[in-house]
């Protein structure tokens, strides 16, 4: 790997008490090109502009996938990565679906470790702090023929972060637009999935909702995800979440929450959930809590769900599964609770 370090850190210009998610970037970035049918020698260089011509394939056809992962500082000033193998596997799963060559494990892991170790001071110790890591792959041929690119770039950038949402989460059930259809790319972290979600989200924002609940593409009757998160419902003392399918992203936080909930002796059920079932549970007083999970948000309580003329409101301030699970997850991520599943790894 070729490494060029920056002459001067930008750390002192950053106000860590006022971080807006995804707007501040650490000193270095990782980059590796796929040309002539193979991944080339990777490099780490100071974070900064990259140059390309307007014919860059990804700008025209969106052949691009990404990951979201996090590193945390423990109290001994060590940086812990959370479930990096899972992100690696999912990135390659997404890559295959978008006809992008898979990244060799060595390139991903060595690049990740070296990058985070160089920028470890950007990862702060403290209850809400983490370093958000964004690995991404994109088509980099200069060619506007509508076919798969021959050249690609794999990059990793990192961004210090605190909380993702600092407002209540009021959701509306989306019955017109669709996030993902069967046989499509919903299970992949394809850039285009997010692009397609912005307009429906903007429409929901105009009506006073922060995010939408995505439903199935054919009848809009079954719940899939909310915003960029997997969604969870507490019905009585049971947690239910939509089962994974080709229209639902297989969240690593989702998977971790299933394990942690079962550890806390909470029954977890993965199944198809209809909106009518949810409404009935709410009307009979059994739908107690709703929350979303994702890397960026960890666990985020939902304040309300609107479905047509029905408003369902939730209070996560008392006896909350969401908050108990969030605490357990974050304690493991920060090395404050024993990591019996071997989810964390130190950056050296
Ligand atoms: C994540 O939780 O990493 C996400 O995918 C959300 C991101 C698009 C900000």
């Amino acid at each position: 790997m070729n490494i060029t370090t920056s002459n001067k850190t930008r750390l002192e210009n950053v106000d860590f008490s006022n971080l807006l998610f995804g707007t501040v970037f650490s000193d270095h970035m990782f980059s590796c090109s796929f040309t002539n049918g193979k991944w080339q020698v990777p490099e780490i260089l100071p974070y900064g502009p990259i140059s390309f011509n307007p014919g860059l394939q990804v700008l025209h056809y969106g052949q691009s996938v990404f990951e979201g992962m996090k590193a945390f500082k423990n109290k001994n000033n060590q940086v812990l990565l959370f479930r990096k193998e899972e992100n690696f596997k999912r990135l390659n799963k997404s890559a295959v679906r978008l006809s992008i060559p898979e990244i060799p494990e060595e390139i991903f892991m060595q690049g990740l470790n070296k990058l985070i170790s160089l920028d470890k001071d950007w990862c702060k110790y403290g209850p809400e702090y983490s370093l958000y890591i964004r690995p991404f792959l994109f088509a980099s041929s200069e060619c506007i023929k509508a076919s798969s690119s021959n050249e690609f770039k794999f990059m990793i950038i990192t961004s210090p972060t605190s909380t993702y949402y600092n407002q209540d989460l009021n959701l509306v059930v989306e019955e017109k637009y669709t996030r993902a259809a069967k046989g499509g790319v919903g299970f992949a972290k394809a850039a285009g999935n997010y692009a397609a979600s912005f307009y429906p989200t903007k429409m929901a924002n105009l009506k006073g909702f922060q995010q939408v609940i995505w439903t199935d593409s054919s009848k809009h009757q079954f719940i899939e995800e909310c915003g960029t998160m997997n969604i969870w419902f507490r019905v009585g003392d049971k947690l239910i979440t939509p089962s994974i399918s080709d229209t639902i992203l297989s969240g690593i936080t989702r998977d971790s929450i299933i394990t942690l909930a079962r550890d806390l002796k909470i029954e977890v059920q993965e199944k198809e959930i209809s909106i009518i079932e949810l409404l009935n549970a709410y009307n009979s007083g059994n739908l107690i809590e709703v929350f979303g999970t994702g890397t960026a948000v960890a666990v985020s309580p939902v304040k309300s769900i609107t479905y047509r003329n029905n408003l369902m409101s939730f209070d996560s301030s008392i006896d909350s599964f969401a908050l108990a699970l969030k605490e357990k997850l974050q304690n493991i991520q920060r090395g404050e609770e024993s990591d019996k599943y071997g989810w964390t790894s130190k950056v050296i």
Side-chain angles (χ1 to χ4, degrees):
M1 189 177 345
N2 294 322
I3 300 178
T4 312
T5 54
S6 72
N7 298 330
K8 192 172 176 328
T9 177
R10 288 179 280 102
L11 255 178
E12 60 256 34
N13 307 332
V14 179
D15 177 4
F16 277 84
S17 64
N18 191 21
L19 287 172
L20 195 58
F21 183 90
T23 59
V24 175
F25 296 94
S26 317
D27 285 328
H28 298 92
M29 61 188 188
F30 172 89
S31 177
C32 187
S33 300
F34 183 91
T35 51
N36 301 322
K38 62 176 201 297
W39 289 103
Q40 304 294 326
V41 175
E43 59 176 338
I44 288 182
L45 59 166
Y47 178 89
I50 52 175
S51 71
F52 50 81
N53 287 319
L56 191 80
Q57 194 126 352
V58 67
L59 299 180
H60 303 270
Y61 304 117
Q63 194 179 8
S64 175
V65 297
F66 71 94
E67 267 306 315
M69 53 197 296
K70 272 183 174 172
F72 301 83
K73 236 341 144 39
N74 70 12
K75 56 176 178 293
N76 301 321
N77 211 29
Q78 293 164 315
V79 179
L80 303 177
L81 281 163
F82 186 70
R83 304 195 74 178
K84 61 182 180 187
E85 297 79 12
E86 298 307 314
N87 291 97
F88 167 70
K89 283 191 242 161
R90 193 173 62 184
L91 181 66
N92 275 343
K93 206 171 143 194
S94 300
V96 168
R97 179 61 182 84
L98 271 287
S99 187
I100 297 174
E102 291 173 80
I103 290 286
E105 185 160 5
E106 197 182 314
I107 292 183
F108 182 94
M109 292 302 173
Q110 286 184 359
L112 180 68
N113 265 282
K114 190 66 203 168
L115 182 69
I116 309 300
S117 130
L118 274 175
D119 283 340
K120 60 180 180 303
D121 293 341
W122 289 80
C123 186
K124 297 288 176 202
Y125 176 67
E128 289 295 341
Y129 287 127
S130 60
L131 188 67
Y132 186 80
I133 304 165
R134 170 56 59 87
F136 59 109
L137 278 159
F138 61 93
S140 57
S141 290
E142 190 184 3
C143 174
I144 55 169
K145 179 166 182 246
S147 61
S148 182
S149 181
N150 291 325
E151 297 184 350
F152 296 88
K153 248 196 205 311
F154 170 49
M155 299 190 74
I156 311 177
I157 55 177
T158 71
S159 173
T161 169
S162 56
T163 35
Y164 189 85
Y165 291 118
N166 33 26
Q167 56 185 148
D168 287 335
L169 255 189
N170 297 294
L171 309 177
V172 62
V173 176
E174 178 59 65
E175 292 187 89
K176 178 173 181 196
Y177 300 106
T178 297
R179 193 193 83 93
K182 291 213 176 306
V185 297
F187 70 90
K189 244 175 138 54
N193 287 342
Y194 295 79
S197 76
F198 296 156
Y199 179 74
T201 306
K202 184 164 79 180
M203 294 298 107
N205 292 161
L206 289 175
K207 293 182 193 141
F209 304 105
Q210 283 70 46
Q211 291 290 342
V212 305
I213 292 191
W214 301 108
T215 51
D216 68 280
S217 61
S218 59
K219 299 233 163 66
H220 296 291
Q221 282 173 357
F222 291 94
I223 290 173
E224 303 215 309
E225 296 187 16
C226 68
T228 61
M229 300 181 284
N230 293 114
I231 190 163
W232 295 76
F233 305 95
R234 174 182 176 184
V235 179
D237 275 337
K238 193 195 295 178
L239 277 178
I240 57 175
T241 189
S243 26
I244 292 303
S245 71
D246 61 354
T247 58
I248 296 180
L249 189 86
S250 176
I252 294 160
T253 310
R254 175 189 180 280
D255 181 71
S256 309
I257 291 295
I258 292 176
T259 302
L260 296 179
R262 289 184 175 144
D263 249 14
L264 292 173
K265 307 276 179 274
I266 299 169
E267 188 186 338
V268 180
Q269 215 181 351
E270 298 172 76
K271 66 191 234 8
E272 271 198 336
I273 307 162
S274 73
I275 301 157
I276 295 305
E277 179 183 346
L278 214 62
L279 204 55
N280 289 340
Y282 184 79
N283 289 333
S284 61
N286 288 326
L287 181 59
I288 302 170
E289 215 183 325
V290 180
F291 57 92
T293 57
T295 298
V297 298
V299 178
S300 188
V302 168
K303 183 142 187 270
S304 76
I305 296 178
T306 297
Y307 171 59
R308 299 184 183 169
N309 295 325
N310 306 281
L311 174 70
M312 300 176 249
S313 311
F314 310 98
D315 178 5
S316 273
S317 62
I318 30 169
D319 172 36
S320 158
F321 279 6
L323 299 183
L325 288 161
K326 180 176 182 184
E327 192 183 336
K328 205 166 162 60
L329 175 72
Q330 294 192 328
N331 282 345
I332 295 174
Q333 290 176 322
R334 298 202 156 77
E336 274 152 29
E337 190 171 321
S338 86
D339 174 20
K340 68 176 177 186
Y341 299 104
W343 284 343
T344 60
S345 52
K346 284 192 191 112
V347 172
I348 31 173

